[in-house]
Every structure is written in structure tokens, then in C-alpha cells.
Amino acid sequence: MTLPAEMDALLLTGDGYAAPSPSHLEAMEPYVAAGRIGVPSPAATQLLIKVSLASINPSDVMFIKGMYGQPRAQGQPAGFEGVGTVVATGDDPRAQWFAGKRVAFATGLTNWGSWAQYAVAEAAACIPLMDGLRDEDAAAMIVNPLTAIAMFGIVKDDGAKAFILTAGASQLCKLIIGLAKEEGYRPIAIVRRDDQIAPLTALGAAHVLNAEAADYKASLKQVLKDEQPRIFLDAVTGPLATAIFDAMPKRARWIIYGRLDAEPAVLRRPDHLIFMQKSIEGFWLTDWMRRNPEGRKQAVLDAQKRFIDGRWKTDVTAIVPLAEAMRRVPGELAKPNGKVFIKP
Amino acid sequence: MTLPAEMDALLLTGDGYAAPSPSHLEAMEPYVAAGRIGVPSPAATQLLIKVSLASINPSDVMFIKGMYGQPRAQGQPAGFEGVGTVVATGDDPRAQWFAGKRVAFATGLTNWGSWAQYAVAEAAACIPLMDGLRDEDAAAMIVNPLTAIAMFGIVKDDGAKAFILTAGASQLCKLIIGLAKEEGYRPIAIVRRDDQIAPLTALGAAHVLNAEAADYKASLKQVLKDEQPRIFLDAVTGPLATAIFDAMPKRARWIIYGRLDAEPAVLRRPDHLIFMQKSIEGFWLTDWMRRNPEGRKQAVLDAQKRFIDGRWKTDVTAIVPLAEAMRRVPGELAKPNGKVFIKP
């Protein structure tokens, strides 16, 4: 197969980090630009992938805005995740094994993102795909599904049946709620719209609380009292998360994996850490995979089976052609409840 | 031995909890009153102790002000810790074993404090004392020494040789610094006065940084870079502690055991929890002892030996007669570097 010298891509306009700003994407222009760039060559342990479909995760938005915990490299393509076909590999046998295969991939630390016609990923961050998996599921196969399995594993290890989720209507939380329902756990989902209550309840949430509702504070208190959750999986931080953590019972663990609220959280109750053995920690999939190679392998198989047999399904808001991405992505992302993809 | 019906004591004037206020004791009157109260009777598993000497810990000050994580009971004697002689016991054999013995005691959950002629403590919270131990060491035998041994144990379990201490010139930190020196660890003590630098360095601190110094920020940065500490034992919280935690390297653990600063800590870097695997937790001796009965037993023996052979020594600022306590205690506590005792 002959590769072109150049390709279309959405290129980062910023470098390094930027000060916190709201987590929604108000426009593409300040952060990425449509452009042409040379098709990269994979290093020894890497793969060059012809991208079929690239996903847009909340972490991508945080990253292009300079608010994700990894520095941007100006002029490189954005996009953490996608699905495609391996068209070239490095010399390492672990990379060569993937030649010609259809893979889900995470670009992680390669600086060659998925919002482009071609992407580079470490072979270790690629998953060979089973037949029968839709592109829409495969393109969102790593970040959300593995995070869901890993974080629900934390809930199971902790023991208590009830647990709390902020950003409860996100694709990630829907996956977690599905897992929890199957195993008899009781997710308490915090959302911001009443129309999210019915679908999440149908999926398996034991309680869905609208943080904008007038009776939210009282409902939260009652639910925490009845359910005694211990794990709090938080994508938000800020005052919303602090209030939940402060109201949680003994031995509560606040596990932060995202920061949708730019406002900082204030630790008003250090006495709860001391006398109630509460704690605060983070979750990062990359670190979890590094520390749990076996768990990762299991999760990869489990996630594919769930998508193929229909227990999981990626809700699709839109598949936007790369050429229309600059104009359409912010508007599509603003729609609730589904995922937005870029098609090169 | 005939027991009197009534005794002198310093009695709590407040009930339950109060809003945060500065952690120093500006006066006794708002919080305790000298008074007479009936001599209590020990329950089955408890001891009645004729108090020889009662200590004043930072946790006592927080407690009488209503800022410690346990509720006050109005009209009961204050004081968490002391030394004395057992003059009556409950019917439980574990209590009877202590009859007539000299003990260090912690009043913990009995509501009968040590700032009185007689105190009640659970037998399980009493330590029979070896001969040769001074009253000044025995009266401060539980809270600080066991906390020092337990928290230094966390440092050792974590592995990194360097660790950080706020309120570095406290009696507790001096004990920890002594332990650390013996075993080749490198304590980094944060203080607020230049005259605390030389004595702490002599004790074994690898670095002593004055947080009020003009070059503090730069020194802290350099020391953290050189020493790569992972455990942060914090008695302060607030902005001072947040700035230290934010500057610490990967896998830093912020362990909060006190709250000398009433100003809340602000979590500005949730990304450090996510991407650098930092975490925040609390330490409470009562909980540690409950979970580590073997460790507690070892620590009790170890602490006594250290005081008897001179490796540890309690620095005494003043021994104040109970009758003079209302007038003199705040002034004595304001003096740096030593402990203040009440003598009934």
C-alpha cells in the first residue's frame, strides 16, 4: 500500500498548558485548526493507523484547551482515541504482529492524535478487534469502557453496594451503571437535567438526583443516609463534589477522574479525613493499565463482548466528516446524552 | 482508700461543636470554668484514676473550643491525657488487673477528662508504667509518643527516606524527628520562627524551613526537588499545607492529623490527584490503635523505653497547679517549644 506524503488533520494551536476555563467547547478555533501535515512514521514499537473513525471524549476537550494533565505540542494533531487499520509498523515484533489488523487505539504519549487521516499509537495501547464490532463502538473502545470496568472494580473491591457518580448521564457513567445493575450494585447518579432521570433509572441507577432541583440537598441527604455509599466517582470537582463528599458517611473515598468544574474544591472538613477516615484520590486509566496488565487484558475482552452482544451500546449524537469538524463539532457536543465522532 | 464525694475540675462550658476559630488559646473562660463536681464511678471496663499530672495537647485546645471531631458534653471535665494512680476499678477482670497501679491514661470516649483531681478512663486506654518514668513524660505518654511511632511507621512503610512535617517545632514533631534520625530518614520540618531552626537541626531534621522567610518558596521548591519526599504529615491544613502538597512530587500522600489553620485548604490541582497519583487522607490515633492492636502494644513499650533511657525527653514549659490554671494556662501555652501541664 502506498502512503501519501501529507494528510488532513486538526492541529493543536496551543502549546503546554493554559489556565482553567469552562469545560465545554465553545468553539474549535481557539484550540485547533484544520491543516495539512506530513504523514508520520511509526517508531520501533509503534503503529501507523489509517483512521476510520475518531472519538471525542471530555478528556479531548480538556486537552485541547490546555487543562488536561499532559502538555500540548503545538502543530500536532489532536485526538486521544479512534479505530482504524494498521498500514505500517515499527520494527519491533510486538508492533509487526499488528500489520494489517483493524484496531482500537489510544494515542496517549505519541503526540500523533486521532483527529487526522493517519495516527500513530504505541502497539501496547492498541487492541486487535473481534469481528462484528461497529466502528462507533470500536472508536470509543478504550477510554470509556476500560475506565468503566476499572472504576467499577474499585467499587467492588471496596464492598459497599451503593456508590455515587457525578456527570451521571455521561457515556462513561452509563457504562458503569450497566455494569452495576448486572451485579446488583446501587449507583446513585447526580445529573443536571430532569429528562436524564428516566433513562438512567431504566439503565439501572438506584437513584438519580438532579443537582439543580429545589429539593436536591434534602434528597441527597436522605439517599446517603439510606444507601451508605462509600465510593464517589467524580468527574466534576468544585462545590458540587465537595458538598457530596462532606455529606458522605465514614470511610468515604472521593475518587476524582475529571474536572468539569473549573472552580476549585474547598476542603472545609479536614476533620472528616481525620475522624471519619475519609480520603481523596485520583483515577487515571493510563496509570491503572500500567499497574494492572492482567486486569487490562480481561477488561479489553470483556468490553468487546459487551458491545458485540448488545449489553453495552454507544449512543451516537453525530458522525462529523473531518472537513466539517471545525464548524460542526461544538454544536454537536452541546447536545446531551450521546457521543460525537470525527470521520476522516 | 476513702474517696471524696466531690472534686475540683475544669469543666466544659460549651456543648457539641462550634464554628472554626484560631487554634491558639486566647483565654480559658469562654471554654472551661473551674468548678466542683461529683467524683465519678467507673463502669465495668473502666478505671478511676487519681490524677498526678495532666497534659495539655493541641487536640485539647481544639476540643474545648468545639473544633475537634468529637462533641463536647457541657459540665464535664476537659483533658484527654494524664498520669495517675488507679484508686477504683469496674468489675471486669481487665479493669481489676489495674487496681493500685500507676498508669498513663487517655480519657477518649468516657467524658471524664484529666483536668481534674480524678479521671475515668477505659482500661484499654491505659498503660501500666515501668519504674523510672518521670510524671512529665508519663503524662504525655500516649497522644504524642504513640502518634509519633504510628505516623513514622507510615513513612517507613512508604519507602522514601525524606518526608515533610508542618508545625515542625511541636513536641510531636520533635519525637518524630528523633525517631527518623536514628533510622537514617530525612525529615523536612516547616516552622514559623528562625530560632526553631538550630534546635530542630540538632535533633535530626535534614532541613528546617521558616515559612515566614522571604526565600521560603524558593527554598521549599529546591528542597522538594533534591529530597523527593512522599509523605506529608500535616497538623495545619489551609494555604500553607496546600502550597506544600501542590509542590510535592508524584505519589505524594498528604496525611492530615490536625487543623491549626482555621482557613480551609483549596484543592487547586485535582489534576495532580489524577495524573500524579497524589492522595489526601487523615490520621487519628484512636482509629490507628483500634486497627493495630499489635502495633499499639509494641509502641507502648518502645515509647516508655525511649523516655527512660533518655532518647526521648518531654520539654516542659510549665507545671501549673489546677487552682491557677484558669489564669495562667493561656500565657504558658503561648511560650514556644515546650509542654504545659496541669497539676491537680
Side-chain angles (χ1 to χ4, degrees):
Chain A
M1 178 178 178
T2 317
L3 293 172
E6 283 200 333
M7 64 178 184
D8 295 329
L10 299 182
L11 306 172
L12 293 164
T13 53
D15 218 12
Y17 300 99
S21 62
S23 61
H24 73 276
L25 189 65
E26 72 286 6
M28 295 284 264
E29 285 73 16
Y31 314 112
V32 289
R36 299 278 295 169
I37 187 170
V39 170
S41 297
T45 58
Q46 297 179 340
L47 313 178
L48 180 69
I49 298 148
K50 188 171 193 314
V51 181
S52 319
L53 204 59
S55 73
I56 305 178
N57 289 305
S59 53
D60 286 304
V61 176
M62 298 298 269
F63 177 69
I64 66 175
K65 294 184 105 173
M67 293 157 61
Y68 191 77
Q70 303 291 315
R72 297 170 295 177
Q74 196 175 31
Q76 297 297 106
F80 281 145
E81 184 177 31
V83 60
T85 305
V86 176
V87 292
T89 76
D91 292 337
D92 190 289
R94 285 166 297 180
Q96 289 177 331
W97 181 88
F98 279 94
K101 289 195 161 62
R102 180 171 172 248
V103 294
F105 66 92
T107 57
L109 310 166
T110 63
N111 279 341
W112 285 98
S114 61
W115 300 358
Q117 292 178 299
Y118 296 86
V120 169
E122 289 289 336
C126 293
I127 299 175
L129 295 174
M130 297 177 184
D131 292 337
L133 199 67
R134 299 190 306 162
D135 264 1
E136 294 86 329
D137 293 321
M141 181 76 220
I142 296 180
V143 176
N144 276 345
L146 299 199
T147 301
I149 290 169
M151 292 205 303
F152 182 58
I154 297 173
V155 172
K156 287 199 288 185
D157 287 347
D158 193 74
K161 287 287 172 190
F163 63 101
I164 307 185
L165 302 148
T166 50
S170 70
Q171 286 305 303
L172 173 63
C173 286
K174 287 184 199 165
L175 299 179
I176 295 174
I177 290 168
L179 288 172
K181 186 191 185 180
E182 278 174 38
E183 304 207 27
Y185 283 73
R186 299 181 61 76
I188 301 161
I190 312 295
V191 299
R192 293 215 171 263
R193 304 157 51 107
D194 276 340
D195 63 6
Q196 293 165 331
I197 295 176
L200 294 182
T201 305
L203 262 181
H207 304 270
V208 186
L209 304 180
N210 182 352
E212 308 287 333
D215 64 348
Y216 165 68
K217 237 174 136 171
S219 311
L220 177 69
K221 200 175 159 188
Q222 188 61 47
V223 165
L224 293 179
K225 198 179 155 210
D226 295 344
E227 297 282 353
Q228 297 285 313
R230 285 240 290 276
I231 298 286
F232 172 25
L233 302 174
D234 178 33
V236 175
T237 82
L240 175 80
T242 317
I244 293 169
F245 183 58
D246 287 351
M248 284 179 75
K250 276 188 179 185
R251 293 192 293 285
R253 284 169 65 191
W254 180 4
I255 300 175
I256 300 173
Y257 67 90
R259 186 203 189 159
L260 295 178
D261 189 346
E263 199 178 322
V266 177
L267 269 189
R268 284 186 208 291
R269 303 305 307 257
D271 54 319
H272 286 193
L273 302 184
I274 302 172
F275 300 111
M276 297 170 72
Q277 293 81 56
K278 293 187 180 184
S279 61
I280 312 173
E281 63 204 277
F283 177 88
W284 187 31
L285 183 64
T286 304
D287 178 62
W288 180 84
M289 293 198 294
R290 200 179 288 144
R291 286 183 295 106
N292 296 279
E294 268 313 302
R296 175 185 180 277
K297 211 179 283 179
Q298 268 310 313
V300 159
L301 288 174
D302 191 28
Q304 295 197 59
K305 284 185 196 150
R306 286 174 175 279
F307 280 120
I308 290 173
D309 70 19
R311 278 176 293 164
W312 274 353
K313 188 172 151 286
T314 302
D315 292 333
V316 180
T317 294
I319 295 178
V320 181
L322 184 56
E324 301 171 21
M326 291 298 292
R327 183 168 51 83
R328 285 183 50 199
V329 162
E332 298 294 350
L333 281 180
K335 297 176 186 168
N337 303 332
K339 257 196 121 42
V340 180
F341 296 94
I342 294 174
K343 191 167 180 61
Chain B
M1 178 176 181
T2 317
L3 293 171
E6 284 201 330
M7 65 178 184
D8 296 329
L10 299 182
L11 305 172
L12 293 163
T13 54
D15 218 14
Y17 299 99
S21 62
S23 61
H24 73 276
L25 189 65
E26 72 286 7
M28 296 283 263
E29 285 72 16
Y31 314 113
V32 289
R36 298 278 296 170
I37 188 170
V39 171
S41 297
T45 58
Q46 297 179 339
L47 313 178
L48 180 69
I49 298 148
K50 186 171 194 316
V51 181
S52 318
L53 204 60
S55 73
I56 304 179
N57 289 306
S59 53
D60 286 304
V61 175
M62 298 298 269
F63 177 69
I64 65 175
K65 295 184 105 173
M67 293 156 61
Y68 192 78
Q70 304 291 315
R72 297 170 295 177
Q74 196 174 31
Q76 296 298 104
F80 281 145
E81 184 177 31
V83 60
T85 305
V86 176
V87 292
T89 77
D91 291 338
D92 190 291
R94 286 166 296 180
Q96 290 177 331
W97 182 87
F98 279 93
K101 288 195 161 63
R102 180 171 171 248
V103 295
F105 66 92
T107 57
L109 309 166
T110 63
N111 280 341
W112 286 98
S114 62
W115 300 358
Q117 291 178 300
Y118 295 87
V120 169
E122 289 289 333
C126 294
I127 299 175
L129 295 173
M130 297 176 184
D131 291 337
L133 199 66
R134 298 190 306 162
D135 264 1
E136 294 87 330
D137 293 321
M141 181 78 220
I142 297 180
V143 176
N144 276 345
L146 299 198
T147 302
I149 290 170
M151 292 205 304
F152 182 59
I154 296 173
V155 172
K156 287 199 289 185
D157 287 347
D158 193 75
K161 287 287 171 190
F163 62 102
I164 307 185
L165 303 149
T166 50
S170 70
Q171 286 304 305
L172 173 63
C173 287
K174 287 183 198 165
L175 299 179
I176 295 174
I177 291 168
L179 287 172
K181 186 193 186 180
E182 279 174 36
E183 304 206 27
Y185 283 74
R186 299 181 60 76
I188 301 161
I190 312 294
V191 299
R192 293 215 172 262
R193 305 156 50 106
D194 276 341
D195 63 6
Q196 293 165 330
I197 295 176
L200 293 182
T201 305
L203 261 181
H207 304 270
V208 186
L209 304 180
N210 181 352
E212 309 287 334
D215 65 347
Y216 166 69
K217 237 175 136 170
S219 311
L220 177 68
K221 199 174 160 189
Q222 188 61 47
V223 165
L224 292 178
K225 197 179 155 208
D226 295 344
E227 297 282 352
Q228 296 286 311
R230 284 240 291 275
I231 299 286
F232 171 25
L233 302 174
D234 177 34
V236 173
T237 84
L240 174 80
T242 316
I244 292 169
F245 183 58
D246 287 351
M248 284 180 75
K250 276 189 180 182
R251 291 194 295 285
R253 283 170 65 193
W254 179 5
I255 299 175
I256 300 174
Y257 67 91
R259 188 204 188 157
L260 295 178
D261 190 346
E263 200 179 321
V266 177
L267 270 189
R268 283 185 209 292
R269 303 306 306 259
D271 54 319
H272 286 193
L273 302 184
I274 301 172
F275 300 111
M276 296 170 74
Q277 291 83 55
K278 294 187 180 185
S279 62
I280 312 173
E281 63 203 278
F283 178 88
W284 186 30
L285 183 64
T286 304
D287 177 63
W288 180 84
M289 293 198 293
R290 200 180 287 143
R291 286 184 294 105
N292 297 276
E294 267 313 303
R296 174 186 181 274
K297 211 179 284 180
Q298 269 309 313
V300 159
L301 288 174
D302 191 28
Q304 295 197 59
K305 283 184 197 151
R306 285 174 176 278
F307 280 118
I308 290 173
D309 69 18
R311 280 176 293 166
W312 273 354
K313 190 173 149 285
T314 302
D315 292 333
V316 179
T317 295
I319 295 177
V320 181
L322 183 57
E324 300 170 20
M326 291 297 295
R327 184 168 50 84
R328 285 183 50 198
V329 162
E332 298 293 351
L333 281 180
K335 297 176 185 168
N337 302 333
K339 257 197 122 42
V340 180
F341 296 94
I342 294 175
K343 192 168 181 58

